[in-house]
Amino acid sequence: MRGQAKLSLFFISAIFACFSFGQEPQHFYNVDKEIKVEGTIQKIIMEPRYKNTAPFLILVLEKKDTQQRYNIEVSPVWFFDHDFHKGENVVVIGSLYSTKEKTQNIIAREMRFRGETLVLRDKHGFPNWRGGPMKKRGGRKGKRF
Amino acid sequence: MIAQGLKEKLTIAVEDRLLRRGQPLLFESGKRGFAPFLSFMEEKMKKLTLYAMFILFLSSSLMADSFSLSFFQNMTNNLFQNSYAEPDQVSTLNFYVDKNFSQVSIFTQGNYAYLFENPNLTYYVHDLGLDYLHPINQKTALYFSLAGRGAFWRSDYSDFNYFSVNFFSALKTYLSQTSILKANYSLEYKDYKYSIFDFLSNSIHASMDKYFQTKTTLRAEMNWGYKYFLHPFLSQEVILVDENRYFLGGNGKGKGKSSGARQYQYVMSTKGEGKGIQAFSLTGLIAQGLGNKVGLRLSGMKQWTLSGNNPFTFIEEFYAVENPSYDRFSWAGYELGTLLTVLMPWNIQLKMGYTMTNKEFPGIESLSLEGDSLGIIRKDERKRFEVEAEKNFSKFSLFFSYFYVDNNSNDPFFEWKGHFFSAGIEWNISLGERR
């Protein structure tokens, strides 16, 4: 019985491990290209960004002084968690990259608005976001009073 | 003679319950327990540890996208939230793992809590589920989630052990770039060890907001919910339990006691039907941004009971237990609140809030401290002040919170004040790709 259990555990692990291979992301968070931008939200959309992930929440941000526009990649799930509106002022810290269409994109690491800070990634660019509306109900920060 | 007869009934009822549960019913509050490490030596804790290790092993096999661990230390001077204040400390340990597969993700999390003064209330809660995010177009998305939960208390609260299934669906759409419409539906089934609490509930929520260039957001919300207790009555005729016994529930004719010093009698009917309670609420909110670093919110809510009463006459609040008779369905009244969020130097987030609630509990009678009916429906007025601070570092976050609650009730047992402190740390370990 114990041998069967070990064998089952091995197969379960192997099956799940298979899912982790073969994923080719298109671009990564580059810490050397990190910038800080303060601007006003001009547009809010959801669109696919990476293979095998849910569509991202994208904010089109216009920088205050230069009127330069940036596409800010927020995260897939935060479309439901936070309500952004056109006209809201936001400070974004993230990694800048350009596309073939010459648009300026920022992979957001941290966002500040309305007296709150949203930490989306750690300093190396690994995602911090976890869970949609349902998952966060469970009190993932531990049971508190 | 009557007293003798009642005493015999009481003895039989209690013995029956002792046999059914296979353990003493005495509530051991105030008794100092074992250190957390020693309790781990027990058989159940050993199993729990092995289970946690299995989860960790699976998470590494899964190449989970994220993994987090958190530890919180909580303190209060009124654990049971009644007039007989009892202090305690609670240590909680939580883990969370998730993995994304395109638009579907799976997640699991566990939470273990140890109570230092009341170790027989120590518990473990585990969640497992999957969710799916489906964009309809650039402005609209659907979200579905199916989750299961198991909650396991040690002896004193094992009647509240449950398994639950929850289905959640949500729609969010931008009516314009400054206005959002949200709607969601939730279905929950809970199966308790003590089956009189079993229920099925449905909830619908809808909200619409509008953002103005003055940095003002207006929001209106509507909530409807129906909770159906599947079989909230016992088949026994009459049960009387003396004041020193721990017991649960009733059907509107008696009371139970699990903490404090009020003497109760317990009477249960022979009815076998289910009982539902239906509630409806409207909420209005105004939020004002004051620069990028300060936000202020004011909100008001009014709730009505559309039909039904709570089938249990005894309402007790215990911080770690979702009381089957004290939830969002069980009251009618209003709530007023204000919340200030400030981004402090060193990027510390500070939240300060004040909430005032006025609740009436249909079907719940107020009792004197001796357990005699006062002939009025229980009504509470609660004031709550809270402060929360959060500081995020690269790999971990620190949390601190303090609550002060002043609860005035026409039931003297629920006249109480309490202080609640909490401090904790959360580690975030990213295992996924840096995209």
Side-chain angles (χ1 to χ4, degrees), chain B residues 96-237:
Chain B
Y96 174 89
V97 181
D98 74 9
K99 172 70 182 173
N100 298 313
F101 302 97
S102 187
Q103 287 163 263
V104 178
S105 67
I106 58 172
F107 62 94
T108 184
Q109 66 176 349
N111 188 285
Y112 171 77
Y114 179 83
L115 288 84
F116 286 77
E117 301 295 332
N118 297 280
N120 283 336
L121 295 175
T122 294
Y123 66 89
Y124 178 75
V125 178
H126 194 92
D127 295 279
L128 183 67
L130 59 87
D131 62 5
Y132 174 68
L133 183 67
H134 179 72
I136 295 174
N137 54 43
Q138 288 192 333
K139 295 177 181 176
T140 307
L142 291 168
Y143 173 86
F144 300 98
S145 168
L146 184 65
R149 170 177 282 189
F152 312 96
W153 275 268
R154 293 187 68 194
S155 55
D156 279 355
Y157 253 77
S158 60
D159 274 339
F160 285 103
N161 289 356
Y162 67 80
F163 288 100
S164 71
V165 179
N166 195 322
F167 171 73
F168 181 80
S169 62
L171 164 79
K172 180 174 177 178
T173 183
Y174 278 84
L175 299 175
S176 70
Q177 290 287 312
T178 57
S179 183
I180 300 170
L181 174 69
K182 290 196 278 191
N184 64 56
Y185 166 75
S186 175
L187 173 70
E188 184 174 28
Y189 169 70
K190 264 190 182 168
D191 180 13
Y192 284 88
K193 182 183 174 188
Y194 194 35
S195 61
I196 64 167
F197 298 131
D198 295 352
F199 73 82
L200 184 73
S201 71
N202 295 274
S203 300
I204 294 172
H205 168 88
S207 73
M208 194 167 77
D209 73 6
K210 174 73 180 170
Y211 178 80
F212 297 91
Q213 290 306 313
T214 53
K215 295 184 178 178
T216 309
T217 307
L218 295 179
R219 188 163 74 208
E221 294 179 12
M222 182 279 293
N223 273 292
W224 172 86
Y226 183 70
K227 184 175 181 179
Y228 184 77
F229 287 94
L230 299 172
H231 31 73
F233 303 102
L234 293 183
S235 57
Q236 294 161 291
E237 288 185 1

Side-chain angles (χ1 to χ4, degrees), chain A residues 9 12-13 16-17 19-20 23 25 27-29 38 42-47 50-55 76 79-80 82-89 91 110 112-117 119 121-128 130-135 137-145, chain B residues 54 57 61-63 66 70 72 74-76 92 94 96 98 101-102 105 107 109 111 123 131 133 135 138 141 143 145 149 166 168 170 172 174 177-178 180 182 209 211 292-295 297 319 341-343 347 349 390 392 394-395 399 403 420-422 426 428 430 432-435:
Chain A
L9 196 64
I12 290 169
S13 305
F16 281 120
F19 285 103
S20 63
Q23 295 177 5
H27 51 265
F28 290 91
Y29 192 94
E38 180 172 355
Q42 298 297 324
K43 197 175 178 185
I44 302 133
I45 53 174
M46 278 192 87
E47 65 177 36
Y50 301 91
K51 191 180 173 186
N52 294 331
T53 65
F79 179 77
F80 275 91
H82 292 274
D83 296 335
F84 297 100
H85 302 87
K86 181 184 177 183
E88 281 189 292
N89 209 46
V91 177
E110 188 176 306
R112 297 173 194 164
F113 73 117
R114 283 190 240 141
E116 290 184 62
T117 300
V119 180
R121 295 166 181 268
D122 67 14
K123 282 187 177 171
H124 305 290
F126 288 103
N128 268 346
R130 290 179 304 282
M134 195 61 205
K135 297 174 196 175
R137 290 178 168 190
R140 64 183 173 83
K141 287 176 181 172
K143 203 79 177 182
R144 292 185 281 176
F145 290 108
Chain B
F54 176 71
F57 173 74
S61 301
L62 272 164
M63 288 294 286
S66 59
S70 64
F72 280 82
N74 310 287
M75 290 168 59
T76 180
T92 63
N94 176 275
Y96 174 89
D98 74 9
F101 302 97
S102 187
S105 67
F107 62 94
Q109 66 176 349
N111 188 285
Y123 66 89
D131 62 5
L133 183 67
Q138 288 192 333
Y143 173 86
S145 168
R149 170 177 282 189
N166 195 322
F168 181 80
K172 180 174 177 178
Y174 278 84
Q177 290 287 312
T178 57
I180 300 170
K182 290 196 278 191
D209 73 6
Y211 178 80
N292 285 338
K293 296 187 174 179
V294 180
R297 274 182 223 173
Y319 93 96
T341 55
V342 183
L343 202 54
N347 211 10
Q349 295 176 72
E390 179 178 338
N392 295 299
S394 176
K395 286 290 181 189
F399 303 89
F403 302 101
F420 304 86
F421 294 93
S422 180
E426 182 183 69
N428 300 312
S430 299
E433 293 165 334
R434 193 169 55 173
R435 59 194 175 193

Side-chain angles (χ1 to χ4, degrees), chain A residues 57 74-82 84 118-120 129 136:
Chain A
L57 169 62
V74 183
S75 83
V77 293
W78 286 24
F79 179 77
F80 275 91
D81 283 354
H82 292 274
F84 297 100
L118 310 180
V119 180
L120 295 107
W129 64 77
K136 292 185 176 177

